[in-house]
């Protein structure tokens, strides 16, 4: 979003002239600072709302004076296809500024910003070193407000992220995720580390990536290689993947190959926000090879899933039962 557009949005907000949609955009932007998981405080209270306006104004003014600071945007799975169609006229997504870091003391290298996503939501972040991080649904990361002079530490505490790391030979980029550490200088790769899944996966698109953990170096990956770490027995498996598939989820496509039911259920929750259950006898043995796409309706996707093994489904609220 251009600075002029942002100023216009803020002016309308201060004059109470925003419609509900634009007011929600401001709320989502403020909530993205990580200070309130429940939403922006004070929108229902006149005095607190005025304080919120003053805080917003201060943060945006700081950001407009320092345009090189980090930014990130929100992307809805269900809006990806529509956004691509409307990109020429309205822009692909709304950008939200992390101006908070501009107000931190320069010595506060170890202070972190926590950023999360929910079902059906993705975020794109631009870090202080110009590296780009795409955060998948139901994910949580910790990013320092300022990188240190010797390295760039990043924590993927839950979920999935695709990284486009700016090259810096003097400061390696290190991602901590579960039992694995991923070290790069400048490259693009994907890390999937959900607690509910039995493995962690690292797949490389460009450059080289070194993966280690438990005091061991598991290997240096090149484009087209994927490392799978099995949590239960700490075993490591190398396989080949199509580099272009690593970030396909950013554009609303998820390729499942020999996926178990838990992986399928996680993907459905990320994409549609539903809880998938299975009452079939052999659910543990089933493996799914299919492509899930966010431009398909939930009903279309469920018919496809059930057709694989000749099952049926019924939906109650946000819960779907396969039988």
């Amino acid at each position: 979003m251009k600075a002029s557009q942002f100023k216009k949005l803020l002016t309308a907000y201060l004059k109470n002239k925003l419609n509900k949609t634009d007011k929600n955009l401001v709320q989502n932007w403020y909530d993205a600072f990580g200070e309130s998981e429940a939403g922006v405080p004070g929108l229902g209270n006149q005095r607190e709302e005025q304080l919120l306006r003053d805080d917003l104004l201060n943060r945006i003014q700081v950001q407009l004076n320092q345009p090189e600071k980090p930014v990130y945007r929100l992307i809805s799975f269900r809006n990806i296809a529509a956004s691509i169609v409307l990109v020429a006229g309205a822009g692909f997504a709304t950008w939200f500024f992390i101006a908070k870091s501009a107000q931190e003391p320069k010595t506060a290298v170890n202070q972190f910003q926590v950023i999360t996503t929910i079902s059906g939501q993705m975020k794109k972040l631009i870090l202080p070193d110009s590296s780009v991080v795409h955060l998948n649904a139901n994910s949580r990361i910790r990013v320092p407000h300022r990188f240190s002079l010797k390295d760039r530490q990043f924590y993927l505490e839950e979920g999935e992220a695709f990284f486009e790391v700016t090259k810096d030979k003097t400061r390696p980029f290190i991602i901590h995720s579960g039992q694995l550490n991923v070290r790069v200088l400048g490259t693009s790769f994907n890390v999937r580390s959900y607690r509910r899944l039995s493995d962690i996966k690292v797949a490389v698109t460009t450059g080289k990536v070194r993966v280690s953990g438990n005091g061991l170096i598991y290997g240096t990956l090149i484009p087209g290689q994927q490392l799978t770490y099995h949590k239960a027995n700490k075993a490591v498996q190398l396989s080949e993947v199509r580099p272009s598939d690593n970030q396909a989820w950013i554009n609303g496509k998820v390729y499942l190959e020999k996926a178990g039911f838990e992986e399928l259920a996680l993907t459905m929750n990320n994409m549609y926000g539903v809880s998938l259950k299975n009452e079939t006898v052999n659910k543990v043995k089933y493996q799914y090879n299919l492509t899930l796409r966010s431009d398909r309706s939930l009903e279309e996707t469920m018919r496809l899933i059930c057709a694989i093994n000749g099952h049926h489904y019924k939906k109650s609220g946000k819960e779907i039962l396969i039988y």
Side-chain angles (χ1 to χ4, degrees), residues 179-240:
Q179 294 96 321
L180 296 185
N181 296 316
V182 181
R183 181 186 178 98
V184 303
L185 295 177
T187 182
S188 59
F189 58 99
N190 194 75
V191 180
R192 192 193 72 181
S193 181
Y194 285 98
R195 290 190 184 94
R196 63 187 288 185
L197 296 183
S198 61
D199 55 39
I200 302 173
K201 291 185 177 182
V202 180
V204 180
T205 301
T206 62
K208 293 183 179 181
V209 172
R210 192 183 78 181
V211 183
S212 62
N214 303 309
L216 302 172
I217 296 177
Y218 294 126
T220 299
L221 309 181
I222 60 175
Q225 288 187 327
Q226 175 176 271
L227 182 144
T228 301
Y229 175 85
H230 299 280
K231 300 176 187 177
N233 57 11
K234 300 181 181 179
V236 171
Q237 177 183 355
L238 290 177
S239 59
E240 294 185 358

Side-chain angles (χ1 to χ4, degrees), residues 25-234:
L25 289 179
V26 176
Q27 176 169 332
N28 287 335
W29 169 76
Y30 189 80
D31 184 40
F33 283 86
E35 296 174 0
S36 171
E37 293 295 334
V40 179
L43 286 181
N45 180 291
Q46 187 173 3
R47 179 178 177 276
E48 291 185 356
E49 188 167 346
Q50 182 59 50
L51 292 175
L52 175 59
R53 289 196 187 96
D54 293 341
D55 189 26
L56 284 170
L57 177 60
N58 178 59
R59 292 183 182 218
I60 294 174
Q61 291 290 2
V62 170
Q63 179 59 43
L64 293 177
N65 291 331
Q66 301 187 36
E68 73 281 4
K69 291 297 177 182
V71 301
Y72 61 89
R73 62 182 177 180
L74 303 178
I75 309 171
S76 167
F77 266 115
R78 302 299 300 150
N79 291 335
I80 286 174
S83 298
I84 294 173
V85 173
L86 297 175
V87 67
F92 183 74
T94 301
W95 288 83
F96 299 91
F97 293 78
I98 305 179
K100 183 177 179 180
S101 59
Q103 300 173 355
E104 296 292 338
K106 292 184 180 298
T107 57
V109 175
N110 293 324
Q111 294 186 15
F112 289 88
Q113 172 105 2
V114 177
I115 299 168
T116 62
T117 55
I118 60 176
S119 297
Q121 180 188 59
M122 294 186 287
K123 292 181 181 178
K124 177 181 177 181
L125 301 89
I126 300 178
L127 302 182
D129 66 339
S130 298
S131 295
V132 178
V133 181
H134 299 267
L135 192 62
N136 204 349
N138 293 311
S139 299
R140 174 188 173 94
I141 59 172
R142 278 194 299 130
V143 189
H145 290 314
R146 296 175 60 84
F147 286 132
S148 73
L149 297 177
K150 64 177 183 179
D151 56 33
R152 296 169 285 173
Q153 301 277 344
F154 188 101
Y155 295 82
L156 176 60
E157 297 183 333
E158 168 72 7
E160 183 171 25
F162 182 79
F163 299 85
E164 300 172 77
V165 178
T166 299
K167 192 171 185 178
D168 186 342
K169 293 182 179 179
T170 64
R171 292 191 303 167
F173 196 100
I174 304 171
I175 296 98
H176 304 279
S177 185
Q179 294 96 321
L180 296 185
N181 296 316
V182 181
R183 181 186 178 98
V184 303
L185 295 177
T187 182
S188 59
F189 58 99
N190 194 75
V191 180
R192 192 193 72 181
S193 181
Y194 285 98
R195 290 190 184 94
R196 63 187 288 185
L197 296 183
S198 61
D199 55 39
I200 302 173
K201 291 185 177 182
V202 180
V204 180
T205 301
T206 62
K208 293 183 179 181
V209 172
R210 192 183 78 181
V211 183
S212 62
N214 303 309
L216 302 172
I217 296 177
Y218 294 126
T220 299
L221 309 181
I222 60 175
Q225 288 187 327
Q226 175 176 271
L227 182 144
T228 301
Y229 175 85
H230 299 280
K231 300 176 187 177
N233 57 11
K234 300 181 181 179

